[in-house]
Amino acid sequence: MHIHKFEKIWLIFGITTLLVFLSVIGVSAFYLGNQPPSCLATINPEKVDTTAPFDKPGLKKVEGKEWDYELVFVASAFAYNPGQVEVPKGAKVKVIATTKDVIHGFEVAGTNINMMLEPGFISEYVTTFDKAGEYLIVCNEYCGVGHHMMSSKIEVVE
Amino acid sequence: MSTKSINTIVDRRDGKLAMAHFYVAFIALAIGGLAGLLQTLVRSGKYELPWGIGYYQVLTVHGVVLGLVLTTFFIMGFQLAAVSRTSGALTDKQRMTGWIGFWLMTIGTVMAAVMILLNEASVLYTFYAPLQAHALYYVGLTLVIVGSWIDGAALIMAYASWRKANPGKPSPLLTFMAIVNTLLWIVATIGVAATVLFQLLPWSLGLVERVDVLVSRTLFWYFGHPLVYFWLLPAYMAWYAIVPKIIGGKIFSDSLARMSFILFLLFSIPVGFHHQLMEPGIDPAWKFLQVILTFLVIIPSLMTAFSLFATFEMFGRSKGATGLFGWVKKLPWGDARFAVPFIGMLAFIPAGAGGVINASHQLNQVVHNTIWVTGHFHLTLATSVILTFFGISYWLVPHLTGRVLTKAMNKLAIIQAVIWAIGMTFMSGAMHAAGLLGAPRRSSFSTYGGSEQAAEWIPYQVAQAVGGSILFLGIILMLYIFINLAFFAPKGEQEFPVGEVADAAEKTPMVFENWKLWIGITVLLILFAYTIPFIDMIQNAPIGSKGYKFF
Ligand code: HEM
Ligand SMILES: [Cu+2]
Ligand SMILES: [Cu+2]
């Protein structure tokens, strides 16, 4: 099969760009640790309220870990617990969340925090809140009639 | 290519079968378009749905009727016509098979529609467990898929008869492409059929209490990504093999066209994890592997872009065009059969770039489940693919009904495409912008308790309603043209254009027809990408979920 010279150049250029691009996201993922949220821990979705750490939703200071705080959320149709929380500016926080019923989303608008909450699984993401202000948390996966009412708030304070 | 005398007219009886598919497809366009308009109006915050109709009920209608019904019926009708045109009329047995497929799909569609109207199935067209729809909704969707398999069987039987009558010869290009797309569809739909038949249906009937949510989603997305290539490949059939004839040029290379179709078959299936990047329970290394496989479809996409523009340029130069871009002026811009799909091709440039962003391991975090994604597939599916389908209809419908596309209708068709492009620029542009600010998709109007961030999204939602209204005008125009071509246009003979290969291009190798080889590699790639993560999922599964009906 014959391939035209210009097409060869076009494909070589395209495939080279593709390889560079894949290397960049690969290095970012495996060397710099920028992996998407992929926690493998499971939980019984019917016993969330009595399982640590979800028995005490909210912000908690922790010692001896790579992060300073753990921020625990429990989602259920159509609300998050806590419905509002304050976080000190500059704190390194591990967000830990799960759902008690159907699939929900957990998106902190204006940040890179965006993860799916699925019954039976725990979702985690470590991040630092650098900018003070109010951040809206929205459910971004359809969960029923009240889906667009489901929200919470993070206030990053000085 | 073939020694058998090539018929240039689709057999009338095959034409009826194809037209039956198109009637359903265009009824779906009417209903789905109205739903789309209502969605944008509701989301602007200035309009509320009457009679207790729910936003998510309307959105379920829109997704099912446009994403599943319109596409599947149009594609099956087009492929039946293309095979009949290039490989000869179907036998009675093959045509009967096609009709059985058509009726199963239609019955399934009606069942699903009734359940949605009764508000028993407001679970959207992706029906993620543990939201639980009425069992008849799942049965309906299953019938649509089984019907499409039977339709596909008719195509494969027709292909087999051609091969038998023409030993050692490569099949006609359009037939070959239709067969690749049919195989892709069959391999892909096995995933969704498995979750519906073995998980969701018994669960919704109460035969089992719980469902494994992650396994169900994984089977769904095993199907969900090749689904988009099933939509796209018929558009590529038109771009590669039909548009060259319409402009009066030649197909750049038959072999390269076949090769790119085979590459789509190989690389569009083992990649479903790129829709699950933000999910718990899947190891990120496996996600990354599928991200790499996802990006490999860029290669056949680049080949397609090259071939198309090479065809256009060769044609322009043969008409005496000079300079780097002189050939652009020689293209038949006044011919809707060319101009309308061309606008679709242009939309694919930003659409493809957006797709690269979506599939990038980490960038996905910024846009996942925001309205950006909706903006993206209204460019790919609802512009590139749909405008190409409209462009096909302008000659195929009159060809099948023994009528012609008049000058007046041709002009209206071009106006239709321009209106579509303008409406979509507003709607999709505003969706992309709002998505970057964090606005979620699949969401009715909400101020989120007076949040400042949410207030920033509202002007974009008003812009979407403006775009949506313009698009709805485009839908009315399209329906008007379709009805004209099907029932009222003057009698005559409208050509079914089929491209010929440029003289310089050489003989097509037979290896492309080696289905054992291609299906074998497809299966190996799927096993490679899915076996280990799937075993992990089952071994580490949490307790399953009971069903919820939150609608
Ligand atoms: C009048 C033209 C159209 C308008 C105004 C329109 C509007 C919309 C809007 C506003 C949404 C998002 C709603 C939300 O996320 O809350 C949507 C979703 C969607 N649209 Fe369209 N659309 C149109 C045409 C089409 C066409 C022609 C297709 C396909 C061929 C299509 C396929 C879809 C699909 C599959 C969804 C996703 C549904 C879901 O998320 O469950 N749309 N459309
Ligand atoms: Cu929700
Ligand atoms: Cu995909």
Side-chain angles (χ1 to χ4, degrees), chain A residues 1-8 10-11 13-15 18 21-22 24-30 34-46 77-78 100-105 107-123 125 134-151, chain B residues 56 122-124 128-131 210 213-214 217 252-253 255-256 259 277-285 287-288 291-292 295-296 298-299 302-303 305-307 356 360-370 437-446 448 451-454 457 506 509 512 540-546 548 550-551:
Chain A
M1 202 173 57
H2 163 82
I3 298 187
H4 192 281
K5 190 173 114 215
F6 285 161
E7 176 152 28
K8 268 188 202 145
W10 167 248
L11 283 180
F13 168 76
I15 293 170
L18 183 62
F21 184 80
L22 281 171
V24 170
I25 58 176
V27 167
S28 167
F30 293 94
N34 292 322
Q35 293 281 13
S38 308
C39 178
L40 300 174
T42 58
I43 183 173
N44 182 334
E46 282 152 25
F78 302 101
K100 294 203 280 187
D101 42 47
V102 295
I103 297 174
H104 296 282
E107 175 198 326
V108 186
T111 74
N112 285 347
I113 306 173
N114 191 349
M115 50 198 190
M116 304 287 295
L117 310 182
E118 294 179 12
F121 290 92
I122 296 171
S123 294
Y125 192 69
E134 202 180 280
Y135 293 88
L136 174 67
I137 302 175
V138 290
C139 177
N140 64 8
E141 184 58 88
Y142 172 63
C143 54
V145 276
H147 165 57
H148 55 289
M149 314 296 248
M150 185 165 166
S151 69
Chain B
Y56 300 104
S122 297
V123 293
L124 307 186
Y128 295 142
L131 277 177
R210 291 169 189 275
V213 172
L214 187 57
R217 286 174 67 78
F252 180 66
S253 159
S255 312
L256 284 174
M259 182 155 114
L277 290 173
M278 298 303 123
E279 282 184 38
I282 305 172
D283 192 285
K287 290 179 180 173
F288 190 72
V291 164
I292 295 177
F295 278 106
L296 294 184
I298 289 179
I299 298 170
L302 291 175
M303 288 167 57
F306 187 90
S307 289
V356 171
S360 300
H361 212 51
Q362 306 93 354
L363 280 180
N364 184 263
Q365 224 157 326
V366 180
V367 295
H368 176 75
N369 269 353
T370 68
L437 295 175
R441 70 181 284 200
R442 302 181 141 181
S443 295
S444 186
F445 179 76
S446 174
Y448 291 101
S451 146
E452 260 176 53
Q453 278 174 307
W457 305 336
E506 85 277 41
F512 292 124
N540 303 320
I543 179 173
S545 283
K546 293 181 183 164
Y548 294 89
F550 288 149
F551 42 81

Side-chain angles (χ1 to χ4, degrees), chain B residues 224-225 228 274-275:
Chain B
H225 189 76
V228 311
H274 71 224
H275 292 262

Side-chain angles (χ1 to χ4, degrees), chain B residues 118-402:
Chain B
L118 295 175
N119 199 28
E120 292 284 346
S122 297
V123 293
L124 307 186
Y125 81 111
T126 45
F127 47 85
Y128 295 142
L131 277 177
Q132 190 185 55
H134 194 287
L136 286 181
Y137 178 73
Y138 301 119
V139 174
L141 294 182
T142 307
L143 287 181
V144 173
I145 286 176
V146 172
S148 72
W149 287 346
I150 296 178
D151 249 347
L155 295 177
I156 293 173
M157 281 153 60
Y159 167 78
S161 339
W162 191 94
R163 286 293 303 280
K164 219 160 152 200
N166 299 269
K169 296 222 171 62
S171 53
L173 183 57
L174 276 173
T175 297
F176 175 87
M177 291 170 149
I179 294 302
V180 172
N181 200 32
T182 303
L183 290 176
L184 178 127
W185 178 245
I186 292 171
V187 176
T189 42
I190 290 171
V192 67
T195 181
V196 171
L197 290 178
F198 300 127
Q199 293 189 282
L200 304 181
L201 198 51
W203 171 69
S204 64
L205 287 170
L207 301 178
V208 295
E209 196 190 9
R210 291 169 189 275
V211 69
D212 186 323
V213 172
L214 187 57
V215 165
S216 173
R217 286 174 67 78
T218 302
L219 288 170
F220 182 88
W221 282 116
Y222 162 93
F223 151 80
H225 189 76
L227 171 66
V228 311
Y229 283 95
F230 171 69
W231 297 334
L232 189 60
L233 290 189
Y236 278 20
M237 285 165 69
W239 297 358
Y240 263 116
I242 291 173
V243 166
K245 175 75 176 181
I246 291 174
I247 65 171
K250 295 266 158 77
I251 296 173
F252 180 66
S253 159
D254 180 278
S255 312
L256 284 174
R258 288 178 204 246
M259 182 155 114
S260 80
F261 266 60
I262 293 288
L263 290 176
F264 280 120
L265 172 66
L266 302 185
F267 293 124
S268 65
I269 302 170
V271 297
F273 281 175
H274 71 224
H275 292 262
Q276 300 179 278
L277 290 173
M278 298 303 123
E279 282 184 38
I282 305 172
D283 192 285
W286 286 105
K287 290 179 180 173
F288 190 72
L289 178 96
Q290 294 206 6
V291 164
I292 295 177
L293 291 173
T294 303
F295 278 106
L296 294 184
V297 293
I298 289 179
I299 298 170
S301 305
L302 291 175
M303 288 167 57
T304 306
F306 187 90
S307 289
L308 295 179
F309 283 92
T311 300
F312 297 157
E313 183 178 345
M314 272 171 18
F315 165 74
R317 293 202 188 284
S318 76
K319 289 274 172 271
T322 50
L324 199 52
F325 289 108
W327 49 272
V328 175
K329 283 200 226 100
K330 301 279 178 192
L331 294 169
W333 296 109
D335 186 342
R337 300 170 309 155
F338 164 74
V340 175
F342 187 85
I343 295 178
M345 292 176 201
L346 284 188
F348 211 68
I349 298 171
V356 171
I357 294 176
N358 299 341
S360 300
H361 212 51
Q362 306 93 354
L363 280 180
N364 184 263
Q365 224 157 326
V366 180
V367 295
H368 176 75
N369 269 353
T370 68
I371 195 86
W372 158 288
V373 176
T374 317
H376 165 70
F377 63 72
H378 279 80
L379 285 183
T380 53
L381 172 61
T383 306
S384 293
V385 170
I386 279 298
L387 281 186
T388 303
F389 288 3
F390 291 174
I392 291 171
S393 309
Y394 296 145
W395 50 263
L396 184 53
V397 171
H399 177 89
L400 298 178
T401 54

